[in-house]
Amino acid sequence: MTSNTGTKCIHEGWRPSEGEPRQLPIYQSTTFKYDTSDTMGQLFDLEREGYFYTRLQNPTNDAVAAKICALEGGVAAMLTSSGQAANFYAIFNICEAGDHFIASSSIYGGTYNLFGVTMKKMGIECTFVDQTLPAEELEKYFKPNTKAVFGETITNPTVSIFDFEKFAKLAHDHGVPLIVDNTFATPVNCRPFEWGADIVTHSTTKYMDGHGVGVGGCIVDSGNFDWMAHAEKFPGLTTPDESYHGITYAERFGKGAYITKATAQLMRDLGSIQSPQNAFYLNLGLETLHLRMKQHCENALAVAKYLKANDKVDWVHYADLEGDEYNELAKKYMPNGTCGVLAFGIKGGREASIKFMDSLKFASIVTHVADAKTCLLHPASHTHRQMSEEQLIEAGVAPDLIRLSVGIENVEDLIADLEQAFAQL
C-alpha cells in the first residue's frame, strides 16, 4: 500500500469497503456461524480460510497482526496474549524435548527465566551467551541439535544493541533461524528482517500499545527461512502433522508455514490468544507509534545528556549518546534513534538509588516500561530479583542499575523532576 512507516501505522490492517465501519470493529464473539456442516469441516481441515473460534483466530486480531506484519516487512503474523507467550511460541514452534537453542544472556529477566527454567523442564535446553563475544567464540556453543538463535534488538534493561549481522551469519551457517525480540526499537526505528533476522517477536504491551492499557504480544515471520532446505532439523514443519490429517506445513503453506503451524497447533492447544478488546486498544496505539517514538528518543537523549553531566551519577548507558560503547551499532542499525529507555547508576549504590527513586514526582516506580508516561525501576530488586548474583552479572545487570523509561512529557519538566530528586541525596 505504501512504503512510509507513518502511513502504515495508520492505514494498514483494516481496509474498510464501502459502507463498512471506518474504525476497526471489535469482533467480540467466541464463535462464528456457517450454513453447512461441510463448510465448517473444511475450516477444521485447513482447506478453507475463515473464522470459527476466537481461540485460534479473530478478525480484529488478524487486522492488527497484519498491520504489525506490514510494519516489519514480513509475510505473516499472529497476536498472542503477552510478549512472554510470543517468545514461548516462537521457540516452541520449532523446538521440542531434546532440542537446544542459543540466547543472549542480556535478555529480559522474564524471558531468561522462561528459557532457562520453564522450558528446561520441558526438555528444551537453552545456552545463554555473551552477545559481545566475537563470532569465532560463539561458534563453539552450537550443537547438532541447536534449532534457533534468540536475541533482543535493544536489551532490557541493559539497553545493549544486538549485532544482527554477526548473529544472522552464525545462525544461517548452522542452518537455523535468527529470532529477535524487537519490542524496544519497534519497526519504526529498526526492521530486523533487513539485517538478516528470520522471525521477530514483540511485547505489544510496550511502545506499540504505548499507554499501558493492554497486555499483548506478536510474532512476525519474514518468510525468508527455507524450512525444507533444513528438513531434518525441523520435522514439525517438514513432516506430516498427524493431529491435522497429515498436513506438512512447509509443503502446503510455503512462506506461511511457520505462522500457520503456530496458529493451528500451538494456539489450538495452548490458547494464549489476545482478546479482541486488547487488540483494538493496540491498534489505537499503533496509529501514533511513529510520532511517539520520535518524541521518546528526543526526550531520552536530552535526559541522558543531563545525567551524563551530573556529578551524582556514576554511569549512563544510552546508545544514542556519543561515546557510548554501543553508539556505532546504534548508528548502523537504528540511525533515527533507538528508544526511550536508558540505564544509569547513582553514586552511593543501591541505597542511594532507592532514595532517589522514592523522591521522584513525575516518574512512577512501576514494573512497566515503554509507554507515554515516564517510569523507572530497579531491576536487581524487581524484574530480575529471581536471578542469582552470578546470573545478574552474566546478564550485565549491575546492583545499582536503574532502568529509566523516558516518556513524552515536556522534557524540561522531566529534568526538573530528576534535579529535585538528586537534591534529596
Side-chain angles (χ1 to χ4, degrees):
M1 187 174 169
T2 175
S3 60
N4 183 277
T5 300
T7 304
K8 286 181 179 178
C9 283
I10 296 167
H11 287 288
E12 286 287 353
W14 173 246
R15 300 177 188 174
S17 301
E18 186 174 11
E20 288 190 317
R22 179 67 186 83
Q23 302 304 325
L24 174 66
I26 304 172
Y27 286 86
Q28 196 65 44
S29 179
T30 60
T31 193
F32 301 82
K33 173 192 174 290
Y34 289 91
D35 292 336
T36 69
S37 176
D38 183 59
T39 302
M40 183 69 80
Q42 290 177 47
L43 290 166
F44 273 98
D45 285 346
L46 302 183
E47 293 176 353
R48 180 186 181 120
E49 290 188 7
Y51 301 95
F52 53 92
Y53 199 55
T54 284
R55 189 179 77 228
L56 280 87
Q57 287 179 285
N58 177 281
T60 306
N61 292 29
D62 279 3
V64 181
K67 177 176 286 190
I68 296 171
C69 187
L71 288 168
E72 286 288 8
V75 298
M78 67 183 289
L79 296 188
T80 60
S81 57
S82 67
Q84 282 287 87
N87 285 335
F88 173 61
Y89 279 26
I91 295 292
F92 197 54
N93 203 34
I94 52 176
C95 288
E96 57 187 47
D99 286 342
H100 168 260
F101 69 102
I102 293 167
S104 165
S105 62
S106 301
I107 57 176
Y108 164 59
T111 311
Y112 190 104
N113 197 72
L114 168 67
F115 290 169
V117 178
T118 301
M119 295 191 78
K120 184 178 180 180
K121 294 176 183 176
M122 302 169 72
I124 299 171
E125 179 192 5
C126 179
T127 298
F128 295 100
V129 300
D130 177 352
Q131 68 180 35
T132 65
L133 290 173
E136 54 270 24
E137 282 289 304
L138 292 165
E139 282 274 0
K140 67 185 181 183
Y141 295 105
F142 285 84
K143 303 178 180 182
N145 63 335
T146 300
K147 299 298 176 69
V149 176
F150 182 94
E152 292 176 351
T153 301
I154 304 170
T155 59
N156 178 10
T158 55
V159 292
S160 307
I161 306 301
F162 189 72
D163 192 342
F164 291 101
E165 290 185 325
K166 177 175 73 174
F167 279 95
K169 186 176 188 310
L170 279 165
H172 297 157
D173 284 350
H174 290 85
V176 301
L178 174 61
I179 303 173
V180 177
D181 184 329
N182 198 32
T183 295
F184 272 9
T186 81
V188 170
N189 284 345
C190 185
R191 284 161 50 102
F193 296 153
E194 295 175 0
W195 299 103
D198 300 290
I199 296 153
V200 159
T201 64
H202 286 276
S203 170
T204 63
T205 318
K206 311 304 189 300
Y207 285 122
M208 284 187 167
D209 173 294
H211 302 87
V213 296
V215 174
C218 186
I219 308 171
V220 187
D221 181 19
S222 68
N224 294 333
F225 193 83
D226 189 344
W227 304 105
M228 292 304 294
H230 308 282
E232 73 288 348
K233 280 184 173 287
F234 305 102
L237 282 157
T238 62
T239 62
D241 178 3
E242 297 308 324
S243 72
Y244 254 114
H245 315 292
I247 285 173
T248 299
Y249 294 100
E251 291 179 352
R252 172 77 76 86
F253 300 103
K255 289 183 178 292
Y258 179 86
I259 293 296
T260 300
K261 178 180 180 292
T263 302
Q265 197 180 80
L266 301 189
M267 197 61 81
R268 173 196 66 190
D269 294 345
L270 301 173
S272 304
I273 195 73
Q274 187 170 146
S275 76
Q277 185 82 40
N278 278 7
F280 175 81
Y281 294 142
L282 170 57
N283 189 59
L284 293 179
L286 287 167
E287 290 188 352
T288 59
L289 180 63
H290 58 299
L291 302 175
R292 290 184 287 105
M293 289 308 294
K294 184 175 184 292
Q295 193 63 50
H296 280 295
C297 290
E298 288 180 3
N299 281 1
L301 182 58
V303 168
K305 288 178 178 177
Y306 162 78
L307 291 170
K308 189 80 172 175
N310 192 305
D311 60 7
K312 293 182 180 179
V313 174
D314 197 23
W315 56 270
V316 181
H317 288 165
Y318 185 60
D320 291 343
L321 268 179
E322 289 291 336
D324 186 271
E325 62 180 308
Y326 289 101
N327 187 244
E328 289 306 311
L329 279 178
K331 286 178 179 177
K332 177 180 180 179
Y333 295 126
M334 288 161 274
N336 296 320
T338 55
C339 67
V341 182
L342 57 89
F344 69 103
I346 293 174
K347 292 174 182 176
R350 185 178 293 209
E351 287 187 15
S353 297
I354 291 170
K355 184 173 183 180
F356 167 79
M357 291 168 67
D358 289 350
S359 301
L360 290 164
K361 300 185 187 303
F362 273 125
S364 306
I365 301 172
V366 298
T367 307
H368 198 234
V369 65
D371 71 17
K373 299 181 179 72
T374 296
C375 55
L376 77 170
L377 58 65
H378 183 250
S381 301
H382 304 145
T383 54
H384 289 60
R385 69 179 300 129
Q386 79 277 10
M387 294 169 67
S388 66
E389 288 294 321
E390 186 178 84
Q391 288 173 326
L392 285 169
I393 292 167
E394 184 182 357
V397 180
D400 61 343
L401 186 154
I402 294 173
R403 183 187 72 186
L404 178 63
S405 177
V406 181
I408 56 175
E409 302 95 337
N410 179 282
V411 72
E412 285 80 13
D413 289 336
L414 295 179
I415 290 173
D417 190 23
L418 297 171
E419 185 73 23
Q420 66 82 27
F422 278 120
Q424 309 300 314
L425 298 181

